[in-house]
Amino acid sequence: MEPLFTPEQLAEIKAYHLPHYIRGAVSPLISLGTFALIIGVLLQPFYRGAQGCAAWLSHRFARLRTAPVLRVVVSALDKMWGEPGWGTAILFALFVDLFIELLYSPANIYFGYVLEHRYGMSNYTPLRYALDTFKGLALEATASSMLVLGLYGLARRVKRWWLVLGVPSALLLLGASVLDPYRSQIYFQQAPLEQGPLRERITSLMARAEVPFQDIRVEKTSVESKRLQAYFAGMGPTRTIVLNDIMLRELTPEEIVAAVAHESGHVHESKWPGRIASSFALVAFLFAIDRLLRLAAARGWFGTTRFADIRTLPLLWLLAFLVFTLSAPVSAVFSREREREADRYALHLTQDPAAFRRMLVKAARVNKMDPEPPRWIVLKGYSHPPIGERLAAVPPTP
Ligand SMILES: [Zn+2]
């Protein structure tokens, strides 16, 4: 078999990935330093700033408190919070978010735009990049405000808030994937795959795999990136097979079928053990937050005077960061095993190892995958086995 890359291509791929590996090594330390800076130095200035801003806004827009619909919203928020001050809480959370975003923005622009363009991986125009970044920030700010109101609002009013919040959130988490087909449409245009041989082949493949689906759609990701991508979104009646427009351009129908077969392997995974485990983990995490909030209130950390004071928020972020960083290597082990299994499933379903191999080779070339990344980077949280390993597992074609 011809080598995956020429020596020149391999050198380019290694050069492209090196900054990512360096970031992988230093970013946990930088994150810890950022938390130390916020918790140790910036917390009180941010809090006083949020108080000042909230006071100014409520004075400036005092009329809105009596406006028809807003009046109801404002009084509901006052009631939920138990006292005025939810405005300060939201602004404080937004200040912390904004500070972290600004601090990381040089690195984010370098990795998301500069490096991608330097290695020909990106089709972003500066305008579209700015627009997508702005969309992401707006989503994050909304989620952050809702989290503050939901978590802190509830914690202030209900003794076992972690159960009251945890159980419905866990249920919501179980059902959230039903909405998956609609999420990526915030960023990309989609259209149904046109009628024709490719649609027929995928449809008959899915019939053999016994995977029902709603539609096959083509996502126009080429406005942003040059990478190949296919995924299944949703579940049951909302399941949608999504191929990006680059796949249709770069892969033959056999190779696209091989990629879809891999994705269909994921449908047959037993998802309930993982889902139930993550539901319990979520409730346990909220319980740990409850203990931390009680400790902070008892000791008067950060000048807090009561339980669930918003000034504990950066501490909760730190706790979440530690939990995610430490659990990533463990969940990645399971993820890589699921990927190996999906590869085996696809090979069994299509009985076409040659097309499967060509699909992996093209994916590796187009997406500039490192065939042999450093072992520690894989262990730290790679969701897929390295492409070299996946290729080696494909049986040779006679
Ligand atoms: Zn997969």
Side-chain angles (χ1 to χ4, degrees):
M1 194 183 67
E2 58 168 326
L4 192 49
F5 300 110
T6 65
E8 294 76 32
Q9 285 171 330
L10 196 60
E12 194 206 6
I13 284 174
K14 293 284 181 196
Y16 168 58
H17 283 278
L18 184 64
H20 289 276
Y21 299 154
I22 293 172
R23 177 168 71 163
V26 300
S27 76
L29 297 174
I30 291 178
S31 297
L32 285 177
T34 307
F35 281 120
L37 180 66
I38 292 174
I39 292 172
V41 181
L42 297 171
L43 201 141
Q44 299 305 346
F46 279 172
Y47 186 70
R48 282 194 296 272
Q51 272 180 321
C53 265
W56 182 82
L57 284 171
S58 87
H59 178 72
R60 182 79 181 68
F61 297 101
R63 273 179 305 123
L64 292 181
R65 282 189 161 270
T66 52
V69 181
L70 279 172
R71 188 176 55 201
V72 183
V73 178
V74 168
S75 88
L77 286 170
D78 282 343
K79 205 173 268 174
M80 188 186 75
W81 203 252
E83 59 190 13
W86 48 267
T88 302
I90 291 178
L91 286 171
F92 176 76
L94 294 181
F95 285 178
V96 173
D97 275 353
L98 191 67
F99 173 74
I100 294 176
E101 278 306 323
L102 285 175
L103 193 68
Y104 287 177
S105 63
N108 289 342
I109 292 170
Y110 174 74
F111 283 100
Y113 190 89
V114 179
L115 192 65
E116 293 291 287
H117 273 281
R118 185 177 300 157
Y119 287 91
M121 298 302 289
S122 177
N123 285 333
Y124 258 135
T125 61
L127 182 68
R128 185 162 172 109
Y129 179 77
L131 213 63
D132 275 5
T133 305
F134 183 74
K135 272 187 209 169
L137 284 176
L139 284 178
E140 197 181 299
T142 312
S144 208
S145 314
M146 281 166 56
L147 184 82
V148 165
L149 290 176
L151 193 151
Y152 280 87
L154 207 61
R156 286 161 163 257
R157 304 201 56 86
V158 184
K159 192 148 187 287
R160 295 196 192 278
W161 66 272
W162 50 276
L163 261 183
V164 177
L165 182 67
V167 173
S169 307
L171 291 174
L172 212 65
L173 211 64
L174 295 182
S177 57
V178 174
L179 294 175
D180 274 351
Y182 313 104
R183 209 170 296 156
S184 72
Q185 296 182 27
I186 297 173
Y187 290 97
F188 301 112
Q189 284 176 9
Q190 282 187 358
L193 175 67
E194 58 186 49
Q195 298 296 335
L198 180 62
R199 186 178 259 275
E200 280 159 26
R201 288 178 75 156
I202 293 175
T203 306
S204 84
L205 181 82
M206 290 302 97
R208 274 190 288 133
E210 294 176 4
V211 172
F213 64 95
Q214 169 185 245
D215 198 6
I216 307 169
R217 297 176 75 81
V218 180
E219 191 164 83
K220 215 175 157 207
T221 62
S222 62
V223 292
E224 178 204 294
S225 149
K226 297 192 172 157
R227 286 185 170 76
L228 295 171
Q229 195 190 32
Y231 63 94
F232 283 15
M235 56 187 195
T238 72
R239 182 176 295 115
T240 308
I241 298 171
V242 184
L243 312 170
N244 72 353
D245 53 343
I246 317 235
M247 273 189 91
L248 296 188
R249 209 170 57 210
E250 300 280 343
L251 299 190
T252 65
E254 291 78 17
E255 292 156 7
I256 293 176
V257 164
V260 173
H262 168 94
E263 295 305 320
S264 75
H266 289 305
V267 175
H268 293 293
E269 286 159 3
S270 55
K271 297 200 174 63
W272 288 106
R275 284 176 181 166
I276 291 167
S278 37
S279 302
F280 275 107
L282 178 66
V283 176
F285 180 61
L286 290 177
F287 178 71
I289 288 179
D290 181 67
R291 295 292 105 174
L292 197 62
L293 290 179
R294 286 187 196 285
L295 196 64
R299 302 265 169 93
W301 289 350
F302 321 123
T304 59
T305 48
R306 57 160 296 162
F307 177 65
D309 188 297
I310 195 64
R311 280 169 281 190
T312 53
L313 184 66
L315 197 62
L316 301 196
W317 282 144
L318 173 61
L319 182 68
F321 165 76
L322 292 175
V323 169
F324 279 116
T325 308
L326 297 175
S327 63
V330 182
S331 59
V333 168
F334 289 105
S335 173
R336 288 193 298 273
E337 189 43 46
R338 285 196 299 271
E339 295 301 336
R340 286 187 201 101
E341 185 53 43
D343 280 355
R344 287 191 285 267
Y345 179 89
L347 286 163
H348 181 75
L349 183 69
T350 60
Q351 297 291 325
D352 190 356
F356 194 81
R357 177 191 303 279
R358 287 199 310 274
M359 181 274 290
L360 287 180
V361 167
K362 278 194 189 168
R365 287 182 184 157
V366 175
N367 293 4
K368 294 205 165 102
M369 296 174 177
D370 188 347
E372 282 179 341
R375 197 67 203 148
W376 64 268
I377 261 285
V378 176
L379 293 176
K380 183 168 172 271
Y382 250 45
S383 61
H384 289 60
I387 196 80
E389 196 187 301
R390 290 177 72 186
L391 274 167
V394 179
T397 26

